[in-house]
Amino acid sequence: MSRQSLIFFGIGLAVIAAAVTLMLWSNKGSHLVLQGKILKVRTLSLEPDATIAAIDFRVTNPSNFVYMIKDAVVRMDTADGKTIDADTISRDDTDRTFAYYHLLGPKYNQTLIERDRIEPHQTTDRMIAVRIPAAALAVDNRKGLHLKLDEMDGGTSEIREQR
């Protein structure tokens, strides 16, 4: 190939790379996903094999669209490598739990419920209370928690506890 052909080929590749980069960059707000982290986990033993966990977390919606919550699922990884599914406690029962069990401390954030809206480019703090079928010691010695948030249109976001 001649030198002039290589120069035009290189310029063509640069133009194509710039066009692809521009298309990807301009569509980054269209990807519906939540980013976040678990801030605090408070536990309370109810029975020898049942523990309530109040999970405070912060989420950010970096997209250009509303993220509407369809479902929230919490899983716990135990110290011995098992995964335990937790049962979500409703908003009303969470309010009663915090009113009755003062050992949990104050309720800092609003409880996450179905159809909660997280507006575009919004950062918000929420909490979710769950009943974990495990002893309080096993919950306190866990490897981590996974909070999976499903969106009404089928998207899924997962927030993992940093331990």
Side-chain angles (χ1 to χ4, degrees), residues 4-5 7 10 13 21 23 46 56 74 101 105 125 134 153:
Q4 188 176 13
S5 306
I7 290 173
L13 280 177
T21 302
M23 285 187 331
L46 293 178
D56 293 295
V74 175
Y101 295 108
D125 291 348
D153 292 329

Side-chain angles (χ1 to χ4, degrees), residues 12-81:
L13 280 177
V15 169
I16 290 171
V20 168
T21 302
L22 181 64
M23 285 187 331
L24 291 174
W25 181 77
S26 66
N27 287 324
K28 74 177 183 177
S30 299
H31 186 64
L32 195 56
V33 66
L34 292 179
Q35 301 167 346
K37 67 179 186 175
I38 294 176
L39 303 173
K40 186 174 187 173
V41 178
R42 296 173 280 169
T43 60
L44 175 69
S45 177
L46 293 178
E47 303 169 1
D49 60 345
T51 303
I52 289 180
I55 304 165
D56 293 295
F57 59 97
R58 178 171 292 144
V59 290
T60 301
N61 180 1
S63 73
N64 297 330
F65 303 99
V66 174
Y67 195 104
M68 189 175 292
I69 302 295
K70 178 181 179 184
D71 193 21
V73 176
V74 175
R75 291 190 173 101
M76 181 184 80
D77 293 333
T78 62
D80 59 357

Side-chain angles (χ1 to χ4, degrees), residues 38-159:
I38 294 176
L39 303 173
K40 186 174 187 173
V41 178
R42 296 173 280 169
T43 60
L44 175 69
S45 177
L46 293 178
E47 303 169 1
D49 60 345
T51 303
I52 289 180
I55 304 165
D56 293 295
F57 59 97
R58 178 171 292 144
V59 290
T60 301
N61 180 1
S63 73
N64 297 330
F65 303 99
V66 174
Y67 195 104
M68 189 175 292
I69 302 295
K70 178 181 179 184
D71 193 21
V73 176
V74 175
R75 291 190 173 101
M76 181 184 80
D77 293 333
T78 62
D80 59 357
K82 296 178 185 173
T83 300
I84 298 175
D85 291 335
D87 299 318
T88 306
I89 301 173
S90 71
R91 178 181 277 179
D92 291 337
D93 289 341
T94 298
D95 292 341
R96 284 187 210 109
T97 301
F98 272 91
Y100 189 74
Y101 295 108
H102 297 287
L103 291 173
L104 280 173
K107 184 178 171 194
Y108 298 114
N109 302 308
Q110 183 179 354
T111 304
L112 182 79
I113 59 169
E114 184 178 322
R115 295 194 177 270
D116 259 356
R117 296 169 53 100
I118 300 169
E119 299 296 328
H121 308 288
Q122 177 189 20
T123 298
T124 185
D125 291 348
R126 291 282 193 267
M127 72 148 307
I128 187 168
V130 294
R131 180 187 177 276
I132 302 173
L137 184 61
V139 174
D140 291 338
N141 293 330
R142 68 191 177 276
K143 284 185 181 176
L145 291 172
H146 304 273
L147 172 60
K148 187 179 96 164
L149 301 171
D150 295 328
E151 205 272 334
M152 286 288 185
D153 292 329
T156 299
S157 298
E158 186 169 331
I159 301 169

